[in-house]
Amino acid sequence: MIEYLFLLLGEAIMVFGALGILRFPDVYTRLHAATKCDTGGAMNILIALAIYADTSTLIKLKFLVLAFLIAMINPMVSHAIARGAYKYGIKPEVVVDMYAWDNP
Amino acid sequence: MVKESLLVTPFGWGVLVLMLTSLLLTYRIIRGPTLADRIVGLNTITTKVVVIIAILAVISEEYALIDLSIVLLMVNAVGGLILAKYMEVER
């Protein structure tokens, strides 16, 4: 019964992350919503699968390895995309840009 | 041989929800104002595809597909880093 709770939590997080990508006005806010919601939803669904799968322990360990790799890789790629988008010339739609003080 | 249908367990309905969510995210890839928006949509859709493959490996009881999902995640990481460096060089 606990695996269905994890599954429902992960699905809800992923759906709200997709709605955030559709509705936010800027690149950086979209990236914020995408990274956090996608990482959390994928890790919750993989923990639910590791509980639910009716197999040996060695195969259940693969789901935890996949969750660890998602938690390591996805913020790294998101940080690289944000840095590349600022170097590309996309200015954020904010009142004051504190990142431009240090990087003229 | 798939022993049971897709929409019997709640994980099958989870696959359906993730596919509809990916169809919603296709709008951001087609009609994004800049290049960075399209890269964000592609990374999100690819992570959802990784989770879909991991669910289908459990439902169809064919556990070799988990290795395929790990390989797809690593290819997604390399592709995202290459696109980010391309954006950084092109002013």
Side-chain angles (χ1 to χ4, degrees):
Chain A
M1 186 55 70
I2 192 67
E3 64 260 17
Y4 297 145
L5 187 70
F6 276 117
L7 177 72
L8 185 64
L9 188 64
E11 295 285 337
I13 289 172
M14 275 191 158
V15 169
F16 291 149
L19 288 179
I21 292 173
L22 285 180
R23 293 191 62 190
F24 277 149
D26 199 8
V27 181
Y28 303 101
T29 51
R30 280 170 198 154
L31 198 56
H32 181 81
T35 304
K36 286 202 299 184
C37 294
D38 212 5
T39 308
M43 284 178 66
N44 278 317
I45 294 175
L46 287 171
I47 289 170
L49 283 175
I51 296 172
Y52 176 73
D54 193 4
T55 175
S56 65
T57 312
L58 187 63
I59 300 177
K60 282 185 181 183
L61 198 67
K62 286 183 185 179
F63 290 107
L64 299 179
V65 168
L66 186 58
F68 177 74
L69 283 178
I70 284 176
M72 287 296 117
I73 281 173
N74 210 350
M76 177 185 72
V77 177
S78 173
H79 167 72
I81 289 170
R83 190 170 184 270
Y86 196 83
K87 298 278 187 186
Y88 187 71
I90 302 166
K91 297 301 178 185
E93 297 290 332
V94 290
V95 176
V96 53
D97 190 6
M98 288 186 181
Y99 188 75
W101 295 353
D102 298 329
N103 299 313
Chain B
M1 287 297 292
V2 178
K3 289 185 179 181
E4 56 188 4
S5 176
L6 186 62
L7 297 178
V8 171
T9 62
F11 288 96
W13 290 99
V15 170
L16 189 68
V17 169
L18 287 179
M19 285 172 70
L20 292 177
T21 308
S22 298
L23 278 179
L24 279 179
L25 281 171
T26 316
Y27 175 79
R28 185 54 61 199
I29 293 179
I30 294 173
R31 198 183 284 269
T34 60
L35 176 65
D37 290 326
R38 294 185 172 95
I39 300 174
V40 170
L42 279 177
N43 277 316
T44 312
I45 281 183
T46 315
T47 309
K48 283 175 173 57
V49 168
V50 166
V51 177
I52 284 172
I53 291 171
I55 293 174
L56 288 180
V58 172
I59 288 178
S60 66
E61 291 182 356
E62 189 165 357
Y63 296 104
L65 293 176
I66 307 170
D67 300 329
L68 194 146
S69 66
I70 292 172
V71 170
L72 181 64
L73 183 71
M74 292 178 178
V75 169
N76 181 24
V78 174
L81 288 178
I82 287 172
L83 286 172
K85 292 300 284 184
Y86 172 74
M87 275 200 307
E88 191 171 348
V89 170
E90 287 285 329
R91 286 302 171 99

